[in-house]
Amino acid sequence: MNHINPIVNEATEQKMSWEACISSGLEARVSKDRGQWALGDLAIMISTVFGPQSLDTYAANIGVAKASLQRYRTVADRFSESIREKFKLLSFSHFQVISSQKDILFWLRKAHDESWSVEKMRLEIKKKQEKEMKEGDQQNVTCPSCSFVFKLYS
């Protein structure tokens, strides 16, 4: 019997179906996401009410790394409750990945509508950034007399 993980014990003893295991995993992920959002919201409140320097003490008292609390705070501060609710099928990590991107709603919609994993979202963002960098090497010049567009590459 596994004394470390009661969920494994239950699965083994009851021979849980694949679907039941998936369901339990989804519940655990949602619980983790809620915890990250809650810690981020609390970090905002702590910093506002007690000052930014209080985050060190708060982190130590609750046993969470200060860097994690700062990251959770940044993400929580960036996204309103209504946006979180609208895209509730996405994990906290999805929001974290796009929190510093332009076109946030575009990425949220794509990830939500196409059921992207966090890794898929990262790859799509990277592809778009690489494409924009290549296009940034190109300059368009329009001829004033004929309106022909010349593409100049550096």
Side-chain angles (χ1 to χ4, degrees), residues 37-101:
W37 285 118
L39 286 169
D41 292 336
L42 282 166
I44 292 168
M45 186 198 67
I46 294 292
S47 295
T48 303
V49 174
F50 301 102
Q53 73 286 353
S54 62
L55 208 55
D56 275 332
T57 305
Y58 182 67
N61 283 322
I62 66 168
V64 175
K66 180 183 175 191
S68 294
L69 279 180
Q70 289 172 320
R71 191 170 52 254
Y72 300 157
R73 178 184 63 189
T74 299
V75 175
D77 195 40
R78 185 90 162 127
F79 300 100
S80 67
E81 288 286 336
S82 63
I83 293 293
R84 297 177 200 180
E85 185 60 28
K86 184 175 181 176
F87 298 102
K88 64 184 172 188
L89 296 178
L90 299 178
S91 71
F92 181 88
S93 297
H94 283 91
F95 288 88
Q96 186 176 334
V97 166
I98 59 151
S99 65
S100 62
Q101 299 297 317

Side-chain angles (χ1 to χ4, degrees), residues 7-8 10-22 24:
I7 293 172
V8 172
E10 183 181 332
T12 304
E13 290 170 9
Q14 296 180 5
K15 302 225 189 283
M16 284 177 67
S17 69
W18 178 254
E19 291 77 18
C21 290
I22 295 293
S24 293

